[in-house]
Amino acid sequence: MTDTASDPPAASRLDAADPGLSLRDGVPVSTRFDDVYFSREDGLAETAHVFLRGCGLPDAWRGGLGTVTPRLFTVAETGFGTGLNFLATWQLWREARPAGGILHYVAVEGFPLSRTQLCETLSAFPGLGAFAARLRPRYPEPATAGHHRIWFEEERLCLTLLIGEAAAALNGLEARVDAWFLDGFAPARNPSMWRPAVLEQVARLSGPGTRLASFTAAGAVRRGLAELGFTVEKRPGHGRKRDCIAARFTGPRRPATGEPWYAPPSPLRPGRVAVIGAGIAGAAVVGALARRGVEAVWLDRHGRIAAEASGNPAGLVMARPTADGDVQGALSAAAFRFALDQASRSGVPIGGDGVLELAPDDAVLGRFQDMADAGHLAPISAALVDAGPAGEIAGVALDRPALWHRTGGWIAPRAWSAALSGPHRPARSTVAGLTHDPAGWALRDADGRTLDRADAVILASAMLSPALAPAARLPLEAIRGQITRLGATSASSRLRSCISFGGYLSLAIGGTHVTGATYTRGGFDPAGWPVAVQTEDHRRTLGLLPPALSRLFGAAPSVLGGRAAVRAVTPDRQPIAGPLCDAAGLVDAYGHLRVDARRLDGGPPPFLEGLFAVTGLGSRGLVTAPLMAELAVSQMLGEPWPVDRAMAACVHPNRFTIRDLRRRRI
């Protein structure tokens, strides 16, 4: 017989991120914290009383929204839990949303419920059933660590879930919050959610007039908030709870920890934003502006979507994990999640039974094994499989182990680009220069004539971007790539998964496979179009096919043609997304780094007002473009960022100048 007295407590037997959901008298309880998720009397009424009315909603939405811009209001919550507070806020937003308003709802959760658990607990509120039904398929599963951004475009509502420990997750957040819901179980049951490190982040993310509400009136919480600049008052509680609190931030703005070189510029309220370039990056930017109701002036030298590098017949979408789980690997996973969500929402199919990334040698296989052992594959739905199972997945015999990216596959880049931009289409116009004056930006042709004007500009024009913003010194390199179209054979037609091996091979699409792509530096005009297809590159591509794949096409593969284009690539192979700076001014501001590479106190960066870029996507733009566009537009408008600050720094246009300063190259 088991000695129950010696058994570990229930919470200690839970997995690391398992909240231990249980029902007690029909009320959901976390056994980890031995506390209820919502009131036994009426959880929805409790939310309305404590949080919505405690933060003055919906009255705070009338006559102008938040503290950043009149169109934007941001609610942040500690403890997403069952999502009840979010759905109640959504319902109120639908009823009282001002014309043109945008609501961002940011919530941090360290112990997320599963999708099924979420819906089971919310079934207690039939009045919220329609909202829960829309949240369910979008709620992340698995709810992996990091930012998960979910747009409900028709409502002008955006949910950003931060999965992870509260203090760390909030420390990575860049936002200006208008209303806080502090709802992380009782302080006595879950003290880590109420510790100073968390409350300090709440204060950092607040501004003058930020409202706050909480079910708890514990003295330590009230004193902690008061010390950080909140004016706190008690309110009558709900049900059997005697008191709750409401507060306003009246203290000074607390500076963010970190380096000022990527500090966000002042938010804009642009009437018109010019987007230059109609590849995957430009299409994603136009779509990001459209879901916010911002007018885009979209210009492209060809006047059509995906005319150049984004116009291949097929391309792969998959995450790129790293062996050490660094910020670049996390960024790739976040971009992949967002791209999958956007593709699902727009109805663009991702074909094939995943992607099999072959291990060409023992060194790469060892790296794959390290990823699996460290748990870096599960969050991106990937698994390491031996050659035999890999062949069963692919439908053809393979002789190498592989990473199986289950949710990856092939996508049609032109259809993907068109879906991202929605009904919008670019005008044909070649922008050769930009000039700025107090009225905004003038877009000029090669003769200096004004083509159009805009309040802000986002460059999504690949290798044309550096010439349009020479002061930013964007270090882009032109790389020529060529794909080859192969006629399918009876053997190759059995292929069910796309194969990655350094290059890639699609499955048969309309009787044709796509393989490639070459990677050539120099010997071509980076701005020229069209880029000539070379027979030698077809031979080179066929020679790179692994033997198991080459055999599918026999001794004389049927080459049906090809397509060549130019990619824009950065020195670190990460994209560029964000506000552009005057690089010379940046050097002047931080020139002392040549003496002391540890200090960065040169003041705010010299931003080029209203000038942003989403470029340098290289060969991964099909995955990265949607998230990079979302980031740049969020930074422009002063919205919560869709990635943490470390990821934003990883893709910031300033990073190259700062690295050169640190390495004493300037």
Side-chain angles (χ1 to χ4, degrees):
M1 180 180 293
T2 301
D3 181 2
T4 55
S6 63
D7 283 351
S12 69
R13 297 194 298 269
L14 297 173
D15 293 337
D18 187 351
L21 180 68
S22 180
L23 289 178
R24 294 181 187 170
D25 301 324
V27 176
V29 174
S30 168
T31 59
R32 178 180 289 276
F33 300 107
D34 193 27
D35 203 356
V36 297
Y37 278 95
F38 45 74
S39 167
R40 296 179 185 276
E41 284 79 18
D42 187 338
L44 187 55
E46 179 185 49
T47 289
H49 173 78
V50 174
F51 297 110
L52 300 179
R53 288 194 287 275
C55 285
L57 303 178
D59 291 343
W61 297 336
R62 299 190 176 105
L65 293 180
T67 59
V68 176
T69 73
R71 299 176 64 250
L72 170 67
F73 197 91
T74 299
V75 175
E77 178 183 26
T78 56
F80 185 74
T82 65
L84 176 60
N85 291 343
F86 167 64
L87 295 190
T89 306
W90 183 356
Q91 183 181 52
L92 187 64
W93 177 251
R94 175 181 285 182
E95 296 169 355
R97 183 187 81 189
I102 297 172
L103 177 65
H104 276 266
Y105 194 104
V106 182
V108 60
E109 178 58 64
F111 304 93
L113 299 181
S114 70
R115 188 178 291 172
T116 299
Q117 290 172 328
L118 193 83
C119 290
E120 287 176 348
T121 57
L122 289 172
S123 65
F125 305 99
L128 297 176
F131 301 97
R134 291 180 61 190
L135 173 62
R136 186 183 190 280
R138 312 285 302 284
Y139 181 80
E141 184 119 307
T144 55
H147 287 48
H148 298 257
R149 174 151 287 192
I150 306 167
W151 268 97
F152 300 92
E153 294 91 344
E154 60 276 17
E155 309 271 4
R156 295 279 171 83
L157 167 66
C158 181
L159 169 65
T160 304
L161 276 175
L162 278 56
I163 305 299
E165 191 275 325
L170 292 175
N171 183 58
L173 176 65
E174 186 63 50
R176 179 70 67 87
V177 176
D178 298 297
W180 282 97
F181 299 168
L182 301 190
D183 191 21
F185 293 123
R189 308 294 180 113
N190 185 19
S192 65
M193 184 66 91
W194 304 89
R195 59 196 174 95
V198 175
L199 298 183
E200 286 168 4
Q201 293 302 320
V202 170
R204 176 183 72 82
L205 295 162
S206 300
T210 294
R211 302 165 184 245
L212 180 149
S214 181
F215 68 90
T216 184
V221 174
R222 289 186 284 115
R223 290 189 296 271
L225 290 171
E227 290 171 1
L228 292 167
F230 285 91
T231 299
V232 186
E233 63 179 25
K234 286 186 178 181
R235 298 174 58 233
H238 176 266
R240 290 177 289 180
K241 187 83 167 56
R242 187 175 64 182
D243 298 311
C244 60
I245 61 170
R248 278 183 180 266
F249 188 74
T250 55
R253 174 78 171 159
R254 300 174 67 86
T257 57
E259 300 166 325
W261 61 266
Y262 71 91
S266 299
L268 302 178
R269 286 183 283 170
R272 304 177 87 222
V273 177
V275 180
I276 303 175
I280 186 77
V285 168
V286 168
L289 292 169
R291 57 179 163 261
R292 294 160 167 88
V294 178
E295 180 185 355
V297 180
W298 196 10
L299 303 177
D300 179 81
R301 64 175 177 166
H302 302 291
R304 62 184 189 277
I305 294 174
E308 296 192 23
S310 301
N312 286 342
L316 297 194
V317 288
M318 55 188 284
R320 303 279 183 174
T322 54
D324 56 2
D326 60 11
V327 65
Q328 294 183 357
L331 179 61
S332 176
F336 182 61
R337 288 196 303 264
F338 191 66
L340 287 183
D341 181 71
Q342 292 291 296
S344 175
R345 290 283 290 166
S346 59
V348 177
I350 294 175
D353 190 5
V355 176
L356 286 161
E357 183 179 4
L358 302 182
D361 51 44
D362 289 344
V364 173
L365 180 58
R367 182 166 60 86
F368 287 175
Q369 188 64 61
D370 290 344
M371 293 179 193
D373 293 343
H376 300 325
L377 300 182
I380 59 171
S381 299
L384 181 58
V385 293
D386 290 331
E392 293 174 5
I393 294 165
V396 299
L398 296 175
D399 55 3
R400 304 179 187 181
L403 284 187
W404 182 28
H405 299 260
R406 294 185 181 91
T407 53
W410 74 271
I411 200 166
R414 280 185 177 151
W416 181 211
S417 300
L420 287 171
S421 65
H424 309 280
R425 295 295 178 265
R428 183 173 184 177
S429 188
T430 300
V431 180
L434 303 171
T435 57
H436 186 260
D437 57 41
W441 288 91
L443 286 64
R444 303 192 184 279
D445 65 14
D447 296 322
R449 293 188 295 263
T450 299
L451 298 168
D452 210 327
R453 297 191 64 90
D455 303 303
V457 177
I458 300 181
L459 303 179
S461 43
M463 287 307 303
L464 302 179
S465 300
L468 293 174
R473 298 181 188 171
L474 299 175
L476 297 179
E477 180 183 9
I479 302 293
R480 180 186 175 280
Q482 180 174 311
I483 58 102
T484 297
R485 296 172 57 245
L486 294 175
T489 66
S490 58
S492 72
S493 297
R494 295 196 296 268
L495 189 64
R496 295 194 300 265
S497 297
C498 299
I499 311 293
S500 171
F501 47 86
Y504 70 91
L505 176 69
S506 76
L507 38 92
I509 306 165
T512 303
H513 296 269
V514 176
T515 187
T518 58
Y519 201 87
T520 305
R521 289 184 167 91
F524 57 89
D525 178 4
W529 187 262
V531 179
V533 173
Q534 299 178 2
T535 302
E536 177 58 33
D537 274 3
H538 289 319
R539 288 194 289 266
R540 184 179 296 118
T541 297
L542 290 172
L544 293 175
L545 284 173
L549 300 180
S550 182
R551 286 193 291 270
L552 300 176
F553 299 97
S558 174
V559 175
L560 303 179
R563 191 173 186 275
V566 176
R567 312 180 189 97
V569 178
T570 63
D572 60 6
R573 300 301 184 265
Q574 296 301 307
I576 288 173
L580 297 181
C581 279
D582 179 347
L586 201 64
V587 172
D588 290 342
Y590 304 129
H592 58 274
L593 284 175
R594 287 174 290 185
V595 178
D596 183 350
R598 293 170 299 175
R599 296 177 60 201
L600 274 171
D601 56 5
F607 289 110
L608 297 166
E609 183 180 352
L611 187 58
F612 291 72
V614 177
T615 189
L617 306 187
S619 58
R620 302 176 184 177
L622 297 177
V623 171
T624 60
L627 186 60
M628 294 302 98
E630 181 71 11
L631 172 61
V633 171
S634 296
Q635 291 172 329
M636 173 184 286
L637 302 179
E639 298 177 354
W641 293 1
V643 299
D644 67 33
R645 292 191 292 156
M647 292 183 189
C650 180
V651 300
H652 201 291
N654 292 355
R655 69 188 188 270
F656 306 104
T657 302
I658 292 298
R659 287 175 188 176
D660 285 345
L661 282 167
R662 282 178 167 150
R663 295 167 182 171
R664 305 185 183 186
R665 294 175 178 170
I666 297 176

